[in-house]
Amino acid sequence: MAFKHLLDLSYWFAIFTPPFRKTAFIVAVMIFALCFITGIVLRIVPRRRQMPPPLVKILARASRPFFFFSILGALLLWFRQVGAAILSVRALLLLIFLIAAAWLGLILRGSLQRYRSELAALEQQRAYKAYLPKRK
């Protein structure tokens, strides 16, 4: 493949795209499988390691774009291999990748702001409980 094809709009918006070759197909499947596994790890690991509750929520929220991208990407990969018209357009896969990346960025930015405030409230609650009388 020549890089000059990447600059042509006809390359990105071709209605009929050829299926991936064996190596490219395996790489694409591995990328989507890695995204799916990352989503699973972000859901399971925080609960097993006794992390603070705000961090568990943030990681669970961050796992959603990984699941979205892996499932939808695998579906589009299947359409590409089957040779479905319109649904195998390269620009559609690029658009979904950009949406998932932006979604992940927004989630992480909002979650970090929320994490700081929830962690400060948790620390304040722990400091308050330190001064309460202890039961005997």
Side-chain angles (χ1 to χ4, degrees):
M1 182 184 117
F3 287 106
K4 68 179 181 176
H5 293 297
L6 295 176
L7 300 176
D8 277 339
L9 287 178
S10 62
Y11 173 79
W12 290 102
F13 293 101
I15 294 176
F16 294 105
T17 54
F20 283 120
R21 294 187 182 125
K22 185 177 181 180
T23 307
F25 179 72
I26 291 171
V27 169
V29 167
M30 294 299 287
I31 288 171
F32 294 131
L34 185 65
C35 285
F36 193 77
I37 290 169
T38 303
I40 291 173
V41 167
L42 287 176
R43 288 274 177 155
I44 293 175
V45 169
R47 294 180 185 167
R48 301 257 185 223
R49 297 222 176 201
Q50 302 301 324
M51 292 184 177
L55 187 60
V56 172
K57 288 181 193 175
I58 290 170
L59 292 178
R61 190 180 298 162
S63 70
R64 292 177 190 151
F66 287 105
F67 285 129
F68 171 76
F69 180 63
S70 65
I71 292 170
L72 198 57
L75 185 67
L76 290 174
L77 181 67
W78 180 71
F79 284 138
R80 172 90 183 250
Q81 290 303 103
V82 170
I86 308 293
L87 295 172
S88 63
V89 175
R90 293 175 182 103
L92 188 61
L93 184 61
L94 181 66
L95 178 69
I96 288 173
F97 175 74
L98 292 175
I99 288 171
W103 187 17
L104 181 64
L106 288 173
I107 286 174
L108 289 178
R109 192 181 107 217
S111 297
L112 286 175
Q113 292 172 352
R114 190 172 181 182
Y115 176 71
R116 290 182 189 130
S117 65
E118 287 184 11
L119 191 61
L122 189 64
E123 291 297 324
Q124 185 180 14
Q125 186 180 18
R126 285 183 186 160
Y128 174 72
K129 285 184 179 181
Y131 292 106
L132 291 178
K134 307 246 185 304
R135 295 180 114 186
K136 292 183 181 184

